[in-house]
């Protein structure tokens, strides 16, 4: 069985824990004085419509009496490591998705720690007892079902789905609960008469594929409880990637380049944080009709340079646009062929300045700023248009 453990409003909950006077109040991390974007919002703040990636100016208008606090990324990362250490007490098979959530495969530790339900209860109680923080737990035989279960139970939820109850659990849920279905996808599916997951599961597979192509097969598999993905231990991951589905299809090259710039920055930053180098860069490209394509390029020398990853990604985008000029609903950048890098690079402020050294300095400094102030605190000018669009029309 698989557990999905997700900390509830992680950053905001830490602030409420550390400052008891904030408990029960709408707390917003980031976006203070109307500048920047919201990093996190407590559930009390969410009741006013505030959510992460929202411009701070908008958050202030929605809830003028909210408590805006400056983010403490180093502190949150430290607490995140403590959470992960608790996970590893119960199983070595942990796949972190971020600082505040992870998949855990507990199949091999049942004899030691009890049933999956007992393990889930103990993990949540241990987090509460040692860290004084709330967490939601979803338990299921499949990864995506475990994640849906934890989401449905939030906050401080606990939902278990038995192997023989997957279809019963999924059937009444809206199609938007399935991985890969954003607002645009949901609208398209509803237009075709698919409102619940059951509507997809009972559809003939060939008929669904004729309507939606490979995406239809993907949805049919999930709707019928088919998900062969396993929990992958973090250091064994074969690739690192980011992708974004757009609220509105994009067609102009300036906007698409801005998205590629943003994705390249985020992916490269994760690569360096994992102390890995990549030798393959892949662009994922989904058209408005849900047809999905990809193009990849193998590098002569493995890299962790944002500039190099960006340049290759932009070239792949141009190649793809010349072949597939229709509007785009999703772009993704993934890095493969990963190898361990050397020790973290040190800034040489007095050495000879080469293009490569200058690029490395920019990466190191931007990583340092992002780790302290948040990933949206520093980004390339080429990402600016997408950051603005993303903040105005956030996903989900």
């Amino acid at each position: 069985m698989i557990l999905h453990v997700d900390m509830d409003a992680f950053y905001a909950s830490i602030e409420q824990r550390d400052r008891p006077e904030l408990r029960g109040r709408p707390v917003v991390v980031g976006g203070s004085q109307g500048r920047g974007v919201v990093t996190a919002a407590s559930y009390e703040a969410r009741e006013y419509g505030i959510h992460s990636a929202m411009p701070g100016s908008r958050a202030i208008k929605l809830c003028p009496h909210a408590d805006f606090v400056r983010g403490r990324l180093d502190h949150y990362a430290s607490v995140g490591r403590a959470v992960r250490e608790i996970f590893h007490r119960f199983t070595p098979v942990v796949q972190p998705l971020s600082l505040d959530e992870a998949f855990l495969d507990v199949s091999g530790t049942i004899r030691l720690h009890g049933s999956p339900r007992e393990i889930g209860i103990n993990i949540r109680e241990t987090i509460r007892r040692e860290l004084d923080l709330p967490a939601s737990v979803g338990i299921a035989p499949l990864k995506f079902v475990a994640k849906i279960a934890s989401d449905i139970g939030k906050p401080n939820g606990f939902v278990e789905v038995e192997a023989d109850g997957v279809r019963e659990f999924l059937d009444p849920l809206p199609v938007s609960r399935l991985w890969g279905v954003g607002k645009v996808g949901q609208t398209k599916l509803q237009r075709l008469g698919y409102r619940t997951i059951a509507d997809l599961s009972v559809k003939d597979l060939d008929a669904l594929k004729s309507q939606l192509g490979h995406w239809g097969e993907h949805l049919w598999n999930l709707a019928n409880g088919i998900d062969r993905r396993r929990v992958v231990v973090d250091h064994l991951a074969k690739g690192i990637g980011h992708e974004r589905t757009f609220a509105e299809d994009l067609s102009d090259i300036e906007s698409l380049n801005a998205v590629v710039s943003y994705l390249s920055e985020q992916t490269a930053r994760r690569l360096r944080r994992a102390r890995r180098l990549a030798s393959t860069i892949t662009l994922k490209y989904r058209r408005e009709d849900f047809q999905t394509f990809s193009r990849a390029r193998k590098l002569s020398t493995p890299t962790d340079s944002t500039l190099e990853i960006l340049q290759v990604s932009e070239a792949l985008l141009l190649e793809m646009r010349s072949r597939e000029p229709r509007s785009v609903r999703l772009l993704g950048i993934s890095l493969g062929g990963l190898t361990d890098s050397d020790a973290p690079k040190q800034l040489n402020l007095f050495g000879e300045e080469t293009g490569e050294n200058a690029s490395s300095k920019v990466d190191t400094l931007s990583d340092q700023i992002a780790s302290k102030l948040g990933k949206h605190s520093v980004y390339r000018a080429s990402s600016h248009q997408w950051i603005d669009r993303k903040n105005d029309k956030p996903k989900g």
Side-chain angles (χ1 to χ4, degrees):
M1 292 288 279
I2 296 170
L3 276 64
H4 180 259
V5 185
D6 195 357
M7 305 299 294
D8 298 325
F10 187 49
Y11 295 176
S13 293
I14 292 174
E15 295 299 337
Q16 290 177 317
R17 179 198 68 178
D18 294 350
R19 297 173 58 186
E21 71 273 15
L22 297 179
R23 294 183 179 182
R25 291 187 51 77
V27 174
V28 179
V29 180
S32 61
Q33 299 178 342
R35 302 179 61 181
V37 298
V38 173
T39 304
S42 68
Y43 283 95
E44 295 87 353
R46 295 181 190 187
E47 292 179 1
Y48 293 86
I50 299 174
H51 51 70
S52 62
M54 172 182 285
S57 56
R58 174 66 175 159
I60 290 175
K61 290 179 181 178
L62 289 173
C63 187
H65 63 280
D67 292 296
F68 287 80
V69 300
R70 185 172 182 175
R72 300 180 290 162
L73 271 295
D74 288 343
H75 182 49
Y76 304 151
S78 176
V79 178
R81 287 191 292 272
V83 172
R84 192 173 303 180
E85 189 276 327
I86 292 173
F87 294 161
H88 279 280
R89 296 181 200 174
F90 294 88
T91 176
V93 187
V94 177
Q95 181 181 350
L97 302 180
S98 62
L99 275 179
D100 60 345
E101 66 172 317
F103 286 113
L104 292 74
D105 188 335
V106 298
S107 303
T109 58
I110 290 176
R111 288 187 177 181
L112 183 62
H113 295 295
S115 69
R117 180 178 183 82
E118 290 172 322
I119 293 173
I121 291 173
N122 287 336
I123 287 175
R124 194 172 64 159
E125 289 182 349
T126 302
I127 292 172
R128 170 65 74 180
R129 182 176 63 254
E130 296 187 9
L131 303 178
D132 193 20
L133 292 171
S136 292
V137 177
I139 305 174
L142 307 173
K143 289 177 76 172
F144 89 97
V145 178
K147 181 167 175 59
I148 292 175
S150 70
D151 288 343
I152 284 178
K154 279 183 167 293
N156 199 32
F158 191 97
V159 177
E160 181 179 13
V161 182
E162 299 286 354
D164 59 359
V166 169
R167 284 289 300 274
E168 181 181 356
F169 173 74
L170 292 176
D171 279 353
L173 299 178
V175 292
S176 58
R177 285 288 184 179
L178 293 175
W179 277 353
V181 180
K183 291 182 179 179
V184 175
Q186 181 180 10
T187 300
K188 181 179 180 68
L189 290 171
Q190 290 179 343
R191 191 166 56 243
L192 293 172
Y194 305 117
R195 296 186 176 279
T196 67
I197 294 177
D199 294 333
L200 291 169
S201 68
V202 300
K203 184 73 173 180
D204 178 74
L205 175 57
D206 290 334
L208 197 59
K209 287 172 66 176
S210 68
Q211 287 181 312
L212 301 172
H214 293 300
W215 189 53
E217 182 176 8
H218 164 76
L219 295 178
W220 187 89
N221 283 333
L222 295 182
N224 282 280
I226 302 172
D227 182 9
R228 296 184 175 87
R229 291 169 294 184
R230 297 184 176 183
V231 177
V232 180
V233 179
D234 195 33
H235 71 270
L236 297 178
K238 297 180 179 179
I240 290 174
H242 273 270
E243 62 182 40
R244 285 292 181 270
T245 300
F246 312 130
E248 298 176 359
D249 297 336
L250 300 183
S251 57
D252 64 287
I253 192 63
E254 184 179 1
S255 294
L256 292 171
N257 273 328
V259 176
V260 165
S261 176
Y262 171 81
L263 294 175
S264 297
E265 285 190 278
Q266 299 306 315
T267 309
R269 191 168 290 151
R270 281 184 58 199
L271 184 72
R272 291 190 293 272
R273 191 165 61 237
R275 299 185 183 181
R276 311 296 293 278
L277 300 173
S279 58
T280 303
I281 301 173
T282 302
L283 174 77
K284 181 179 179 181
Y285 183 101
R286 181 171 295 156
R287 296 189 323 203
E288 59 186 342
D289 60 353
F290 299 95
Q291 289 292 309
T292 303
F293 308 87
S294 64
R295 292 189 70 82
R297 182 168 298 177
K298 187 172 179 60
L299 307 176
S300 57
T301 303
T303 188
D304 63 0
S305 164
T306 297
L307 180 60
E308 187 171 356
I309 292 169
L310 172 59
Q311 289 173 337
V312 172
S313 299
E314 287 179 335
L316 292 173
L317 175 64
L318 288 176
E319 292 176 16
M320 188 64 74
R321 287 300 287 167
S322 66
R323 293 162 55 100
E324 306 292 341
R326 295 175 62 168
S327 295
V328 183
R329 74 179 307 268
L330 176 147
L331 280 177
I333 301 294
S334 60
L335 309 177
L338 304 186
T339 57
D340 293 334
S341 69
D342 296 327
K345 298 180 179 66
Q346 299 294 321
L347 281 177
N348 180 4
L349 299 177
F350 306 103
E352 182 181 357
E353 186 75 0
T354 66
E356 182 178 354
N357 287 341
S359 176
S360 179
K361 283 185 178 181
V362 171
D363 286 341
T364 302
L365 289 171
S366 66
D367 289 350
Q368 291 172 352
I369 294 171
S371 69
K372 292 184 178 298
L373 302 180
K375 65 182 181 181
H376 291 144
S377 59
V378 56
Y379 48 84
R380 292 173 182 265
S382 55
S383 302
H384 182 74
Q385 180 176 342
W386 169 241
I387 294 288
D388 286 346
R389 183 189 294 252
K390 181 172 180 284
N391 290 336
D392 289 340
K393 300 175 181 177
K395 215 188 133 195

